[in-house]
Amino acid sequence: MQAITIEQPVGVISDTHGLLRPEALTLLEGCGLILHLGDVGSRDEDAAILERLGELAPMAAVRGNIDTASWAETLPMTRDLTVNGWRLHLVHILAELDPAITCDAVLHGHSHKPRNERQADRLLFNPGAAGKRRFRLPITLGKLWADARGLRGAILHLPL
């Protein structure tokens, strides 16, 4: 498990589907780490989304169900990180979560529905979708603060 120590918040983005909005980049500025929770995009050129996010801060990602281009084969289906001592488990589709996983937070995407709730002893956090609008769902991303005060999340609506 990769251990990371940062003082800034963690930027969390998902379901860009080939569209990295300038407003998303603005909201992610100043983050100490950026996590992409899958469905980056299905085209060869969509790899540039992860490259651009990596220019803002260290970046880690998991593969989503539409990440089918050859570049996405290197992305793991799940990832475990420790940020300032807090254990984060990343997965695109929450239904694929192994319930035996020990973690403080499960970060997931796929549904395009933002979620920031405690369930038992862990945080379930979905930043929603920052890419193309789906149905009438909002365009959002998230931030996490992992420090001595606890593990806290916020859903941020892109100013569109």
Side-chain angles (χ1 to χ4, degrees), residues 4-26:
I4 300 165
T5 302
I6 56 173
E7 294 184 14
Q8 308 93 331
V10 177
V12 188
I13 189 168
S14 188
D15 295 276
T16 46
H17 290 266
L19 175 61
L20 183 57
R21 297 173 185 270
E23 297 87 353
L25 292 170
T26 299

Side-chain angles (χ1 to χ4, degrees), residues 3-5 81-87 104 146:
I4 300 165
T5 302
L81 305 171
T82 301
V83 177
N84 299 338
W86 295 96
R87 299 162 301 172
D104 299 304

